[in-house]
């Protein structure tokens, strides 16, 4: 009889633990119901007559621009269509890029500010990132006066180049 009494406290503790586990799992499920904001997507936009294509997705503080460089124009340039990015309501922005195409090519960008286009600026490959599956380009700052941005490549690429413009709130 004495053996049965010594098991009862352990049994009660086990029941309490099991009942607490049930309650905690319910709380965790309730806490994990996070409000998901819908993505604002603009459709794929056909570009210049050389059939290079660009698609733009605006997610919160990031413009994601997928640019293909698949055709040369008559002057042997591989240029995408200008993309509208109004940065006037931000305190600044940063441009970065990557591609899964690792061959030797160079990517450039230019910006439209105050109705005047800048010269082409090279996006240099980021030497601090080692990723055998991607070519990663170093980030560049963009001014708040930027109205549009345009990209070009030194060669036709086998896959798209993903440009991201991160904006900073005022």
């Amino acid at each position: 009889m004495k053996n049965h009494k010594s098991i009862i406290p352990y049994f009660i503790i086990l029941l309490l633990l099991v009942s607490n586990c049930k309650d905690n799992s319910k709380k965790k499920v309730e806490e994990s119901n996070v409000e998901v904001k819908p993505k604002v997507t603009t459709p794929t936009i056909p570009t210049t007559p050389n059939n290079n294509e660009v698609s733009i997705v605006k997610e919160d503080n990031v413009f994601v621009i997928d640019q293909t460089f698949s055709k040369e124009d008559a002057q042997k340039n591989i240029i995408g269509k200008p993309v509208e990015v109004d940065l006037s309501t931000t305190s600044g922005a940063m441009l970065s890029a990557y591609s899964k195409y690792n061959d030797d090519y160079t990517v450039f960008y230019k910006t439209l500010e105050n109705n005047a286009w800048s010269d082409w600026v090279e996006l240099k490959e980021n030497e601090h990132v080692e990723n055998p599956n991607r070519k990663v380009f170093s980030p560049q700052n963009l001014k708040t006066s930027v109205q549009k941005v345009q990209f070009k490549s030194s060669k036709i690429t086998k896959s798209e180049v993903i440009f991201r413009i991160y904006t900073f709130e005022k």
Side-chain angles (χ1 to χ4, degrees), residues 8-21:
I8 292 176
Y10 294 112
F11 184 70
I12 292 172
I13 291 173
L14 181 62
L15 284 175
L16 287 172
L17 285 174
V18 170
S19 68
N20 281 337
C21 288

Side-chain angles (χ1 to χ4, degrees), residues 11 24 34 42 57 71 132 142 151 160:
F11 184 70
N24 285 340
V34 177
T42 57
V57 177
K71 304 253 180 181
L142 296 177
F151 304 102
E160 63 198 4

Side-chain angles (χ1 to χ4, degrees), residues 81-94:
K81 180 179 179 180
V83 176
E84 289 190 36
V85 290
D86 180 13
L87 303 180
S88 63
T89 60
T90 70
S91 64
M94 182 183 70

Side-chain angles (χ1 to χ4, degrees), residues 39-102:
K39 292 181 181 179
V40 177
T41 306
T42 57
T44 300
I45 302 169
T47 61
T48 55
N50 60 11
N51 290 328
N52 292 322
E53 293 185 5
V54 63
S55 73
I56 309 142
V57 177
K58 174 78 166 90
E59 300 175 354
D60 294 327
N61 66 331
V62 181
F63 291 92
V64 180
I65 304 162
D66 296 355
Q67 176 71 63
T68 61
F69 296 108
S70 56
K71 304 253 180 181
E72 293 178 336
D73 64 13
Q75 292 79 33
K76 302 286 186 193
N77 292 314
I78 308 164
I79 301 175
K81 180 179 179 180
V83 176
E84 289 190 36
V85 290
D86 180 13
L87 303 180
S88 63
T89 60
T90 70
S91 64
M94 182 183 70
L95 170 67
S96 68
Y98 73 91
S99 176
K100 293 182 181 175
Y101 177 59
N102 288 330

Side-chain angles (χ1 to χ4, degrees), residues 105-119:
Y105 66 98
T106 307
V107 173
F108 302 87
Y109 74 97
K110 67 179 180 177
T111 57
L112 179 69
E113 299 176 53
N114 303 317
N115 297 320
W117 283 100
S118 68
D119 292 331

